[in-house]
Every structure is written in structure tokens, then in C-alpha cells.
Amino acid sequence: MSKQYDYLIVGAGLYGAVFAQKAKEAGKTCLVIEKRGHIAGNIYTEAVEGIQVHRYGAHIFHTNNSEVWEYVNRFATFNRYTNSPVANYKGEIYNLPFNMNTFNKMWGVVTPAQARAEIERQRAAHFVAEPKNLEEQAINLVGTDIYEKLVKHYTEKQWGRPCTELPAFIIKRLPVRFIYDDNYFNALYQGIPVGGYTAMVEKMLAGAEVRLGVDYLADKAAWGAMADKVVYTGPIDAYFSYKLGALAYRSVRFETETLDMENYQGNAVVNYTDAETPYTRIIEHKHFEFGTQPKTVISREYSAEWKVGDEPYYPVNDEANGALYQKYKALADGEKNVVFGGRLGEYKYYDMDKVIEAALAAWQAQ
């Protein structure tokens, strides 16, 4: 294989697509290879019964960056969807993030002063000067009632271990609003691409050669020889054959089904915050686009332990994994003509706008 391209981009997710788009715009030649059988990575959507289904979990675009917002609007029209999830605790429904609707339902309070006083009363009764675990940290922040009903069991399902065994730094803050506003994000811009994310990414990749079902790591040297530079968005530890050990992730398992009804739960996202319900949340996909189809599609999400070979979702950003990543990053910094990017390449939980920011910055650094 002789050098035929300016860039080999490994991964057709959002980071790779943005980099490819900018490179093509500048007149560069790009080959994009993707291990999966589809483009768009974890923001991949596909039509089922006329509904755009988020195959790898809910993705709501939100940003305060006007440059990023203008950029994505070149490739999609965004609707007015506002993320307003609700929590179901043993049949009790609470607004998220924690706001005056939540506090009124929980305690019957009607003013911000009453809500603050109740939270402070509970915090003071259990305050720990130096929290040693997530439970102590969370109670320090929001008191016992909110912790027990809306934080504890959901968090334990997500992480697969008790809150008393999770480090305190995982929860640096919890969003508490003393207003009647259930918009989850404090973002200036928010919405879902009309017609789904896959169509948006397809437009970003227009003009680039894309090959699906290709495992770059199975023949890294040969693929790398095809281009002057490689943009790698896969797992950083996999790139180095896990020679320092595997970085840890949490994975997610989805149970998706089509139901012969118009409306299953009345909201796009419902979190299940009790211990008895095995899944963490249910997504009803049609509500992302205000769908009126006669059927509906739902996905139950189960948090799962991860092992090498599973789909990695959330980096376990504890001290041990952070230290291991820094060792891999030192190796990556020594790789000439390879750019490591995205949530797997940088072992970082990224919101979509931050992925785009990082990809644009990486391109500008070329």
C-alpha cells in the first residue's frame, strides 16, 4: 500500500467526521475507516417505524459555543427539543434536575426559602467535614431525602457498586435549582437534528472515501502507510496493544422494542431511581422529534461491567485509571504523525459540542 491520502481517519464518529470535513474543505484527501458497519459512532440513529432511534443511547445536542452551533447547523436543521427528564422512584415522579417542582413534590414546599431551609436542615444533621465516599459527599450537597430517592440507587446501578465504596470526587456538585425550570441543560443552544444524527454525519463526510467494517488495529502498519498522517479515535490502550494494562470503562446494554401504541411514557427520558428496577432508564425515541407515529420505540438501558471486547461507553475516571491514561498519553505523544482524539483516544467523557471543539482545534493545529 503506497501513500495515497493526506489523512487516514480511524473512526467515522463525530470527531473523525468533523476532522474529515475540515480536511476536505481545505482540499486534502481523506480515507475514513470504521470498524462498525455504520458511520456516526455512538450518535448513530436509524429509522424504525418512521422514528429516529438512538441506537447507543440518548444524545441531546447542547452548547454555549456559538461557533460550534453555527458549524453543526451547516449540516442539519435542529428542532426545539429541550431535555427535561423525569425520575420514577417507586411510582413517584420527580423533575430533573432537582428544582422547585422536585422540592414541592417531595416536601410540599412552595418557595425557594422553604426548599433551601429543608435541604440545609438535612445537610447539617449529617454533615461530614471531609467526605470519604460518594454517599457522604452527596448528602453534604443535597441532604438525605434527595440522596435516598434520586441519587443513591441510580448511581449504584450505574457504577455496579455501593455509593459507600465510590470515591467522593465522582460527585463534585449536584445541580440544584431554586426555580420552577426543568430544562436540564444551562445551554444557550439545544436541540436534536431533524432526521437524526446519521444524516448529519453523512453530510460531514461527503467527499471523503469511507470504508466500513475495517479493523485498523488488525493491520495498523499497512493502513498507516497509506497516508501522511493518521487521526486515531479508537481506544488509546488498544492502539498500544494494552501493554501497560487495560483502561476501565462502564458499558451499557440496551433492550429496544417497538410497541403498538402511540405513547408509552409521555417523555423522552425517564430515569428509574429505585433499587428494584434493574435498568437505569427508559428512552422513548419519538419524543425527541415530537413524533405522531401510531407506534413507538423504547429502549431500556442497563449499566454493565466492561471487559476488553465490549463496547466502551464511560471512562472510569478514578485516580488509578487517570494515572494509567497519563502513561498511555506519554506514549501517544511520541507517535509521530498520529493525532489521538475523541472520547476513546483521549479517555475522556465528552459532550458532543466538546468533541467538535476538540476536532476543530486539532485541525487548526495541522
Side-chain angles (χ1 to χ4, degrees):
M1 295 181 180
S2 60
K3 289 190 188 295
Q4 304 168 43
Y5 304 92
D6 294 309
Y7 291 97
L8 172 73
I9 298 171
V10 182
L14 190 55
Y15 188 103
V18 170
F19 196 100
Q21 189 279 320
K22 296 303 289 185
K24 288 296 297 180
E25 192 174 57
K28 303 297 184 181
T29 54
C30 297
L31 171 61
V32 181
I33 59 175
E34 168 59 52
K35 190 175 182 180
R36 295 175 181 174
H38 61 76
I39 63 170
N42 277 12
I43 64 171
Y44 173 68
T45 54
E46 65 176 337
V48 177
E49 298 289 343
I51 299 162
Q52 287 295 325
V53 173
H54 296 218
R55 279 297 177 195
Y56 300 94
H59 287 85
I60 298 101
F61 195 89
H62 57 98
T63 187
N64 284 309
N65 187 323
S66 58
E67 180 186 352
V68 167
W69 183 242
E70 289 170 11
Y71 178 78
V72 293
N73 274 271
R74 291 170 56 185
F75 310 101
T77 299
F78 282 76
N79 67 18
R80 61 168 184 82
Y81 179 81
T82 299
N83 190 28
S84 301
V86 297
N88 184 321
Y89 177 78
K90 299 183 179 182
E92 299 173 10
I93 301 297
Y94 295 95
N95 284 113
L96 298 173
F98 317 134
N99 59 47
M100 286 302 299
N101 295 304
T102 315
F103 309 143
N104 175 262
K105 179 71 177 285
M106 193 166 288
W107 304 313
V109 299
V110 294
T111 68
Q114 291 171 332
R116 286 180 188 276
E118 181 57 29
I119 290 173
E120 187 54 40
R121 183 187 69 79
Q122 294 184 19
R123 288 179 66 248
H126 298 85
F127 187 79
V128 176
E130 295 185 12
K132 296 181 178 61
N133 55 54
L134 187 147
E135 179 169 292
E136 292 177 350
Q137 172 74 348
I139 292 173
N140 269 11
L141 292 169
V142 295
T144 51
D145 286 352
I146 294 173
Y147 169 70
E148 287 290 339
K149 288 191 172 185
L150 303 179
V151 177
K152 176 181 170 68
H153 304 297
Y154 187 86
T155 303
E156 291 181 345
K157 287 189 287 188
Q158 274 196 317
W159 289 91
R161 49 190 59 86
C163 287
T164 51
E165 296 178 12
L166 291 169
F169 68 75
I170 288 177
I171 294 184
K172 293 184 175 66
R173 54 181 290 276
L174 285 167
V176 177
R177 295 181 183 171
F178 295 97
I179 53 176
Y180 289 92
D181 179 7
D182 60 0
N183 179 0
Y184 194 85
F185 298 121
N186 288 316
L188 184 59
Y189 310 106
Q190 184 175 176
I192 303 280
V194 176
Y197 286 100
T198 304
M200 180 182 83
V201 172
E202 190 171 23
K203 288 180 180 177
M204 290 177 173
L205 290 169
E209 183 180 346
V210 179
R211 302 185 196 177
L212 302 176
V214 175
D215 185 355
Y216 166 74
L217 296 177
D219 202 355
K220 186 167 66 174
W223 284 108
M226 294 183 69
D228 292 328
K229 208 156 196 178
V230 174
V231 178
Y232 176 77
T233 68
I236 189 171
D237 51 354
Y239 182 93
F240 294 104
S241 303
Y242 305 103
K243 67 181 181 181
L244 302 178
L247 292 162
Y249 291 87
R250 289 294 291 174
S251 193
V252 183
R253 178 172 62 86
F254 300 94
E255 287 182 355
T256 298
E257 60 178 316
T258 301
L259 302 176
D260 193 14
M261 62 175 68
E262 289 187 11
N263 189 354
Y264 175 74
Q265 63 185 18
N267 205 49
V269 182
V270 177
N271 291 359
Y272 285 79
T273 59
D274 59 86
E276 294 76 17
T277 305
Y279 39 85
T280 54
R281 62 182 183 174
I282 295 179
I283 307 302
E284 188 167 8
H285 301 269
K286 71 188 303 179
H287 296 311
F288 289 127
E289 293 195 60
F290 314 105
T292 58
Q293 298 88 350
K295 295 187 179 182
T296 194
V297 180
I298 64 168
S299 296
R300 297 178 183 86
E301 294 188 13
Y302 298 79
S303 185
E305 288 290 341
W306 175 86
K307 61 183 184 299
V308 173
D310 292 342
E311 184 63 39
Y313 282 87
Y314 304 110
V316 179
N317 291 132
D318 58 17
E319 292 178 11
N321 282 285
L324 180 56
Y325 166 69
Q326 288 303 321
K327 292 178 182 178
Y328 275 119
K329 186 177 185 302
L331 292 178
D333 290 344
E335 289 285 296
K336 292 183 179 179
N337 299 320
V338 181
V339 175
F340 290 79
R343 66 186 179 90
L344 302 180
E346 298 176 68
Y347 193 64
K348 185 175 184 179
Y349 179 79
Y350 263 131
D351 285 332
M352 286 179 284
D353 64 326
K354 298 302 182 184
V355 171
I356 293 169
E357 283 181 21
L360 292 174
W363 168 251
Q364 288 164 3
Q366 297 303 299

